[in-house]
Amino acid sequence: MTKILVVEDEAVLRDTLQYNLARQGYEVITSGDGREGLGLARRVKPDLMVLDLMLPGLDGLEVCRVMRQENNTPILMLTAKTTEVDKIVGLEVGADDYMTKPFSMRELLARVKAMLRRVKLERGGGGDASGSASDGKTRLVFDDLVLDGRRGEVTLAGRPLRLKPKEYELLRFLARNRGAVLSRDLILERVWGWDFAGGSRTVDVHVRWLREKLERDPSSPTRIVTVRGMGYRFEG
Ligand code: CA
């Protein structure tokens, strides 16, 4: 059974989330405290975490940051703040998606489903009717950079790279379209999904992180190049 951990201190919202997620067939574990939530995450190893930003104990950013050092559990952040800056901060500590309160429960359920589906595809779980499962399993080789879709692993010169789920998806998307100029909007749509709330800055931030991990000199990249006024191109 797919396990979802909800960490939210507003009791009414927490109960609503629990009720609605359980109705979709997920096993739901809840907490109203950041520190306790982190402990639960370590113990129950959820398939996905819905994490509020402002929490007693330990705030959501800190929980997210610690989680990211330990595993790749997809994290959907919830926040009452609306500025672009806060979104980017959330993404920088490793959240995979972001929703601003108030949000519709329907949209949240759709995003949770989409996030779980993407993780499953990338891990080779397949079973999606879109036919993209086999696509996710291919092995792509660019000199010393190897993307192994079956194992969900990327290695550089034989060393496994620790990529966040979104970095991995972005890299696969770029790599599959090697040589083509890809606009930020297209990348956003294909990697984050049509319903993603973040702006195109999100793409820039993730490209920067990938460069730091992949490029010999991240300040003058040769693998993921910027095409001014257009977007990005993966050179291999
Ligand atoms: Ca809160």
Side-chain angles (χ1 to χ4, degrees), residues 8-10 52-55 101:
E8 165 62 71
D9 60 322
E10 288 169 50
D52 186 31
L53 183 67
M54 302 294 281
L55 288 167
K101 296 175 188 175

Side-chain angles (χ1 to χ4, degrees), residues 172-187:
R172 280 201 73 86
F173 179 66
L174 293 171
R176 281 200 306 268
N177 294 285
R178 169 148 77 143
V181 179
L182 305 167
S183 72
R184 290 173 177 79
D185 283 348
L186 179 72
I187 295 171

Side-chain angles (χ1 to χ4, degrees), residues 203-215:
V203 176
D204 299 334
V205 170
H206 281 77
V207 164
R208 177 156 55 77
W209 293 337
L210 274 181
R211 281 172 172 165
E212 281 162 13
K213 292 174 183 175
L214 298 179
E215 301 280 358

